[in-house]
Amino acid sequence: MWFKYMVKHKRLFAIIMLAFILFNITIPFSYPAYADLQVKEVQKSGDVQKDGDVVKKADAKKEAVPEDKSVLGKSFEWVSDGVAYKAIKWTINDFFFTKIVGAESVIKEYGNGNINASARSSIKWTTLLTLSAIVRGGIGIFVKDGWKQAALDSWDALEKGVTLHQFVAWENVVQVARTGFNAIRFGGQFGEAAGTIGEAAANSSSLLKSTAPLTTVGKIAGWAGIAFSTVEMVSGFGSAFYSQDGSKSQADGVLNGFAGLGSLALTAGLMIGAACPPLAVGLAVGGALVWGAATVGKYFTGKSKTFRKAVTAPVRWVKSWFD
């Protein structure tokens, strides 16, 4: 009987079933939409919603709202905060290439057969720097913040200082700078000053303690260091772009970007070497200073709102182009 009735009124039943299907499809979205509307209304009235109940804003505790970052924004943080990235960098750069280059430098000094005081000093410092980079990089894999990170940053700064001391002939740099300054100040005419500076530049190989060209292994290690520094620079600036304006994470991202840029310039200066000593010294020293300023600055991003605003101003300005 019911079957005959359904056959007779099959069009009506089809409409009812279609309506039922549409209702079941749309019902999952109806509550979130309505809930979202409620939340917006609650926020607009100045109240908050807690455990399903509306609570007056004055009675609610202030809670930090986590930043909703995109997948790309989170991928940038994988470099700055990720243990996996630190492990990869330590394995490839701090351990593998540093160890090989250090061993090659020592073998090269012994291979010359003339182990004088200068060679012995070079071997000693190369060995110490190699071991120091390996140990520091290994410890730093699981360290992120606090006094332990400050100690590692100070350790890294000491390594960079020793590297620059072994690379740059500071007394000759001071002499060339003084000659150029005196030429500009007392030369009288621009031509005479330019000639004096040009003569000093012609002897610029004396700016470096060693003008020996890099070996193939040294060049590969240098390019690996530049690659990691570039990744960290891009990651830092990218993370700053996707962070909340004026936040600590945005300021840290900017400073991480500059720290990567400083490391890149330092490594590039060490690689250029004898090809252009003045540029090599400028890049190495300038890069070390930029890295140092950015590294120290990260310890003030959580303490000074004014400092955060100053550091993040360029990024906020660029972001305003896309608003």
Side-chain angles (χ1 to χ4, degrees):
M1 179 178 176
W2 282 103
F3 178 75
K4 292 182 179 179
Y5 183 83
M6 290 173 62
V7 172
K8 185 177 179 180
H9 300 86
K10 59 183 178 180
R11 185 173 181 180
L12 175 62
F13 276 97
I15 294 174
I16 294 173
M17 290 300 297
L18 180 59
F20 180 76
I21 292 172
L22 290 175
F23 175 78
N24 279 275
I25 291 175
T26 56
I27 191 62
F29 301 98
S30 61
Y31 178 76
Y34 178 66
D36 184 60
L37 180 61
Q38 282 186 320
V39 170
K40 289 182 179 179
E41 290 177 351
V42 167
Q43 291 175 347
K44 186 176 180 180
S45 64
D47 299 332
V48 295
Q49 189 176 31
K50 186 176 181 181
D51 298 330
D53 299 324
V54 176
V55 182
K56 293 295 181 181
K57 192 173 184 179
D59 299 329
K61 294 182 179 180
K62 293 182 179 180
E63 297 180 358
V65 180
E67 297 178 32
D68 184 17
K69 295 186 178 180
S70 64
V71 175
L72 184 59
K74 292 179 180 178
S75 68
F76 289 132
E77 291 185 347
W78 181 82
V79 174
S80 59
D81 299 329
V83 173
Y85 172 78
K86 291 181 180 180
I88 292 171
K89 181 182 178 181
W90 179 78
T91 303
I92 297 176
N93 191 67
D94 298 337
F95 182 80
F96 182 73
F97 281 121
T98 301
K99 187 176 180 180
I100 289 179
V101 172
E104 184 187 43
S105 300
V106 172
I107 292 171
K108 184 179 179 181
E109 293 289 349
Y110 275 112
N112 292 333
N114 184 21
I115 306 300
N116 52 26
S118 177
R120 283 194 295 270
S121 177
S122 177
I123 291 171
K124 178 184 70 174
W125 285 113
T126 299
T127 303
L128 287 174
L129 285 172
T130 301
L131 294 175
S132 178
I134 292 172
V135 175
R136 177 183 54 78
I139 295 173
I141 292 176
F142 300 102
V143 176
K144 182 179 178 181
D145 294 315
W147 68 268
K148 294 180 181 179
Q149 185 60 52
L152 289 176
D153 288 337
S154 301
W155 187 348
D156 194 4
L158 181 62
E159 284 181 11
K160 285 178 169 56
V162 172
T163 300
L164 285 176
H165 179 71
Q166 293 299 110
F167 179 67
V168 180
W170 295 105
E171 63 279 2
N172 295 332
V173 171
V174 172
Q175 183 60 39
V176 171
R178 184 180 299 163
T179 301
F181 176 76
N182 289 335
I184 295 173
R185 185 178 180 183
F186 305 112
Q189 296 182 0
F190 179 78
E192 294 178 4
T196 305
I197 295 173
E199 183 179 350
N203 300 321
S204 61
S205 59
S206 62
L207 300 177
L208 305 178
K209 288 186 175 179
S210 175
T211 56
L214 286 177
T215 62
T216 303
V217 175
K219 290 178 181 178
I220 295 175
W223 282 113
I226 287 177
F228 280 109
S229 296
T230 302
V231 168
E232 291 166 10
M233 178 184 68
V234 173
S235 170
F237 290 136
S239 176
F241 189 85
Y242 283 95
S243 296
Q244 183 180 354
D245 287 346
S247 64
K248 182 180 183 300
S249 60
Q250 187 177 54
D252 287 340
V254 173
L255 294 174
N256 283 332
F258 277 112
L261 176 62
S263 295
L264 190 156
L266 172 59
T267 305
L270 297 175
M271 286 185 67
I272 291 173
C276 184
L279 180 59
V281 172
L283 284 174
V285 176
L289 291 175
V290 170
W291 176 88
T295 301
V296 172
K298 286 189 290 184
Y299 293 95
F300 295 93
T301 56
K303 300 177 181 179
S304 173
K305 186 176 181 180
T306 303
F307 181 74
R308 288 200 302 271
K309 285 185 176 180
V311 169
T312 60
V315 176
R316 290 186 284 111
W317 178 61
V318 172
K319 288 178 69 174
S320 67
W321 300 349
F322 302 93
D323 292 341

